[in-house]
Amino acid sequence: MSTVWNGVANGARRRIHMQEVGTRDGLQVEAAFVATEAKIALVNALSESGLAKIEVTAFVSPQAIPALRDAEIVMREITRQSGVVYTALVPNVRGAERAIEAGTDELNLVMSVSETHNLANLRMTREQSFAALSQVAALAVAAGVGVNISLSCSFGCPMEGEVPEATVLGWAQRFVEQIGVGGVTLCDTTGMAFPGQVEALTRGFRARWPDTELTLHFHNTRGMGLANVLAAIDAGADRFDASLGGIGGCPYAPGATGNVCSEEIVHALDVMGYDTGVDLAQLIAAAQRLPGLIGHDIPSQIVKAGRRLDLHPVPADFAATRARALARDR
Ligand code: COA
Ligand code: ZN
């Protein structure tokens, strides 16, 4: 049997950067408040697994997202690993001041490319968001902190439907060319993306801004998460958000479900020959902690089923079965 290694090109494994969003996108919708110490311990465990970036928390209004009201303490008290970028979601100037003060490496700005979703989620028009985020970016630059913009609903809006590619790329252009952000994340906030669309938007973005760090952020709402990751890789993407255990979802997106699951994506990319740099066993061990922290089961198929080559014991009656089968040949 010949093995097809999708992840190997010209004899080298292709590098895919994995970014963990479980402690932000994941925990923001959980009813149970995960204790600050447990959050810090979880980030510390994730830090050692080889992830490129960790979205530690969100500096948002504690009334809007009570689950992350301890953002400062978590950001300050985690143990930093060199090589890992510690980012946090920031919606406004107040959030930027808090995040910079707490020592965040990168501010992940957020707005929606859908007017309706932006108003529902952030209570601002898109133009108001852009004006506010311009100020946020200026603060970050002055503080020597990186800036990424996450564009929600880049693959469709649950309230407006299709969002034209020109609209998505138009907002990306304003952030890249007017504000000078270092990275853009195209977010499939509610799992509306499908592979052909992902491929087209990824190619469109890559062709226009080859030097801008591009991240794809998928939710598995309709079971297309991994298919979308693979389509994006084919179109030139090499950086993905994913959440431990597959937890997460936007509180203002009806029927929202978890992000693509970190250990499922790493497992799939590993078996295909890509180099994620992530120690899958450590990631699985971290995911196994989650049910105890959030008080319910997690979607992760890998935590349920184990890895592809995790071997299982033979049935108890195996020796007798084999003896009977072999006896038929005598
Ligand atoms: N950090 C802490 N507190 C903040 C804050 C921030 N970044 N931004 C606003 N606040 C506080 C204000 O001080 C004010 O507090 P007060 O009522 O005690 O005076 C209160 O929140 C309301 O402030 P206001 O500026 O009127 O904001 P708003 O009510 O219009 O809310 C957002 C706007 C963006 C701050 C809020 O909707 C939010 O944080 N949303 C987060 C949404 C999110 O994270 N969604 C999931 C990720 S996509
Ligand atoms: Zn998300």
Side-chain angles (χ1 to χ4, degrees):
M1 188 187 85
S2 70
T3 307
V4 180
W5 295 103
N6 310 56
V8 179
N10 305 320
R13 297 175 71 197
R14 229 176 108 188
R15 180 65 201 251
I16 304 292
H17 305 273
M18 294 302 301
Q19 306 183 156
E20 177 59 44
V21 299
T23 51
R24 195 282 296 173
D25 209 341
L27 295 186
Q28 73 186 7
V29 282
E30 290 300 332
F33 180 78
V34 174
T36 306
E37 284 308 314
K39 285 179 182 138
I40 293 168
L42 187 60
V43 173
N44 289 349
L46 290 166
S47 283
E48 288 172 9
S49 69
L51 293 157
K53 201 181 269 191
I54 300 176
E55 190 164 47
V56 175
T57 185
F59 291 89
V60 295
S61 154
Q63 283 97 323
I65 310 280
L68 302 180
R69 61 179 183 261
D70 53 3
E72 272 89 352
I73 312 178
V74 176
M75 187 57 88
R76 275 208 204 95
E77 308 232 324
I78 52 172
T79 305
R80 308 289 180 106
Q81 287 286 338
S82 67
V84 181
V85 174
Y86 295 91
T87 186
L89 189 90
V90 162
N92 56 15
V93 167
R94 175 82 209 287
E97 288 165 350
R98 291 174 58 208
I100 291 167
E101 177 70 26
T104 311
D105 295 338
E106 179 195 86
L107 307 190
N108 185 18
L109 281 39
V110 60
M111 70 166 271
S112 182
V113 292
S114 147
E115 186 79 355
T116 311
H117 187 263
N118 203 66
L119 280 163
N121 192 32
L122 300 170
R123 302 166 202 255
M124 286 181 268
T125 66
R126 289 174 299 177
E127 285 298 343
Q128 287 165 348
S129 273
F130 186 78
L133 295 178
S134 304
Q135 285 179 271
V136 171
L139 282 178
V141 169
V145 168
V147 182
N148 184 81
I149 174 72
S150 279
L151 296 174
S152 307
C153 297
S154 285
F155 298 89
C157 167
M159 293 162 282
E160 288 186 14
E162 298 289 5
V163 176
E165 199 176 297
T167 303
V168 181
L169 294 178
W171 285 104
Q173 178 173 23
R174 291 180 68 179
F175 280 97
V176 173
E177 295 175 13
Q178 288 177 32
I179 297 189
V181 297
V184 176
T185 303
L186 300 177
C187 299
D188 181 25
T189 312
T190 65
M192 294 171 74
F194 59 94
Q197 176 195 31
V198 168
E199 194 165 337
L201 196 54
T202 303
R203 277 196 208 289
F205 187 100
R206 271 269 154 265
R208 286 175 72 169
W209 303 289
D211 300 326
T212 301
E213 192 178 278
L214 171 65
T215 299
L216 279 297
H217 174 111
F218 295 118
H219 282 256
N220 207 25
T221 320
R222 294 178 177 81
M224 291 187 279
L226 176 60
N228 288 331
V229 168
L230 298 180
I233 290 176
D234 282 347
D238 65 356
R239 196 170 272 278
F240 295 93
D241 282 351
S243 111
L244 198 66
I247 60 172
C250 173
Y252 299 96
T257 195
N259 295 83
V260 290
C261 169
S262 306
E263 59 274 21
E264 285 177 17
I265 300 298
V266 168
H267 176 268
L269 296 180
D270 274 1
V271 299
M272 294 173 78
Y274 292 97
D275 169 21
T276 61
V278 177
D279 183 325
L280 184 56
Q282 276 180 289
L283 210 54
I284 293 172
Q288 284 166 336
R289 296 186 190 191
L290 279 175
L293 296 178
I294 58 181
H296 60 82
D297 195 13
I298 52 176
S300 175
Q301 295 292 126
I302 293 299
V303 166
K304 290 189 187 80
R307 288 167 291 190
R308 176 170 172 266
L309 290 179
D310 283 348
L311 300 184
H312 300 269
V314 297
D317 61 352
F318 184 76
T321 303
R322 179 163 63 182
R324 267 199 305 278
L326 294 177
R328 282 184 216 121
D329 292 340
R330 283 193 208 113

